[in-house]
């Protein structure tokens, strides 16, 4: 068991929530289960081998169509479990923020 080092609250899924890992360039995709999630990352159980794939950065697909996703980087690996850290988008451009506030 990995000691709790996170500062943010976590939501735990007793049986895991089905999600998918996908390469940034779309060359591979793996089924997995999200066991817990926070604002900053998730703990995942990968259902097939991750040997030989580049997990430095990947997408975590939260829907089968891929319309809901987070861009991630690998935080740790422990057997079939991996930790994903969510990458944040850069700050919006000044012009985009202005458009968001106009009605």
């Amino acid at each position: 068991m990995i000691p709790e080092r996170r500062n943010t609250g976590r939501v735990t899924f007793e049986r895991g929530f089905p999600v998918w890992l996908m390469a940034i360039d779309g060359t591979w995709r793996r089924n997995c289960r999200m066991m817990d999630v926070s604002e900053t990352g998730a703990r995942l159980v990968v259902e097939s081998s991750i040997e030989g794939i580049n997990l430095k950065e990947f997408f975590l697909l939260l829907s089968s169509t891929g319309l809901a996703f987070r861009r991630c980087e690998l935080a740790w690996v422990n057997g079939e479990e991996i930790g994903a850290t969510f990458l944040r988008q850069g700050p919006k451009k000044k012009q985009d923020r202005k458009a968001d506030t106009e009605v």
Side-chain angles (χ1 to χ4, degrees):
M1 185 83 180
I2 296 174
E4 186 68 35
R5 294 183 304 238
R6 300 168 286 254
N7 295 327
T8 57
R10 292 225 150 221
V11 175
T12 301
F13 302 101
E14 187 175 319
R15 293 185 182 102
F17 184 81
V19 293
W20 300 264
L21 302 179
M22 187 176 81
I24 296 295
D25 62 3
T27 56
W28 56 263
R29 184 171 166 157
R30 298 289 188 275
N31 295 339
C32 61
R33 295 188 114 14
M34 183 166 48
M35 302 310 291
D36 61 50
V37 64
S38 74
E39 194 174 311
T40 59
R43 180 171 56 99
L44 310 166
V45 174
V46 183
E47 296 177 358
S48 60
S49 175
I50 58 173
E51 190 173 332
I53 61 174
N54 181 7
L55 274 175
K56 180 177 168 70
E57 272 192 42
F58 56 91
F59 289 115
L60 176 61
L61 306 179
L62 304 170
S63 70
S64 60
T65 59
L67 295 176
F69 65 91
R70 294 294 303 260
R71 191 171 184 145
C72 303
E73 69 181 359
L74 183 65
W76 51 267
V77 177
N78 185 8
E80 64 183 13
E81 288 190 359
I82 66 169
T85 301
F86 300 143
L87 298 176
R88 300 216 180 262
Q89 287 184 322
K92 286 186 172 182
K93 294 179 182 174
K94 194 174 192 177
Q95 183 179 22
D96 291 341
R97 283 186 293 212
K98 184 178 178 183
D100 287 345
T101 59
E102 292 177 357
V103 178

